Amino acid sequence: SHSVPLSQILWSKEKNMGNHRILIADDSKTLSELLGFTLKQICPDCQIEITSDGLAALEKVQRPPASPTFDMIFTDYDMPGMNGLELAHAVYESHPDIKVVLMTGHSYVPGLNGDGRPVNLIGLLKKPFVKKEVEQAFNLIAGHSQDGV
């Protein structure tokens, strides 16, 4: 447990507090707002947008390139029109750098494992989740998004 130097821990804490742009896609308004509130506590400078389904989320991602795109998407699996896995695949086609966290209340999600798993899907949040789990998912992505810098 002593293998990580303190400087690295401090650095990772600092970089996680960046100005990330986060998109939440969930057809439950209550859950979206709760998640948005939780993410704001974790990252006060983050910009958060909320959509109620996968197609609306994809439209936001594919807005004109003049507008900055998102760093991460927290998406529900079960949504009308386009489920969370389909959204992850579609986002990967146009914006492979955006990382996706899938949220689900199911114990089994078809297509989550094996060849069908979207490359950009790096986290799974089981509902109901707690702040600590959201924080872990956020930190995982916030760490990832700095790799190419």
Side-chain angles (χ1 to χ4, degrees):
S1 65
H2 296 288
S3 58
V4 180
L6 183 63
S7 58
Q8 195 177 326
I9 294 168
L10 293 174
W11 178 73
S12 69
K13 273 198 180 140
E14 279 170 25
K15 74 174 178 178
N16 286 345
M17 297 311 286
N19 185 14
H20 294 285
R21 286 175 54 81
I22 305 170
L23 181 61
I24 298 170
D26 197 316
D27 54 339
S28 159
K29 192 166 183 282
T30 311
L31 199 125
S32 294
E33 287 174 354
L34 179 65
L35 180 59
F37 176 75
T38 305
L39 285 165
K40 271 287 189 192
Q41 287 183 311
I42 296 164
C43 178
D45 294 330
C46 284
Q47 291 174 273
I48 295 165
E49 287 193 44
I50 292 175
T51 59
S52 58
D53 64 74
L55 291 168
L58 190 60
E59 273 176 28
K60 278 189 183 284
V61 168
Q62 293 174 340
R63 271 186 306 217
S67 66
T69 189
F70 298 95
D71 301 296
M72 54 186 96
I73 298 173
F74 284 77
T75 177
D76 188 26
Y77 171 70
D78 265 329
M79 291 184 295
M82 174 185 271
N83 73 35
L85 279 184
E86 291 165 341
L87 173 62
H89 279 295
V91 166
Y92 185 73
E93 292 293 312
S94 60
H95 294 76
D97 294 342
I98 301 177
K99 302 291 184 265
V100 179
V101 174
L102 189 71
M103 306 180 289
T104 180
H106 298 288
S107 52
Y108 171 73
V109 175
L112 188 59
N113 299 311
D115 297 340
R117 184 189 174 107
V119 184
N120 53 346
L121 183 70
I122 68 159
L124 182 68
L125 276 176
K126 284 284 177 81
K127 294 179 180 178
F129 43 76
V130 295
K131 183 184 174 184
K132 188 169 194 266
E133 292 167 319
V134 174
E135 198 161 4
Q136 284 169 342
F138 172 82
N139 287 339
L140 191 65
I141 300 176
H144 267 250
S145 63
Q146 297 289 332
D147 286 353
V149 177

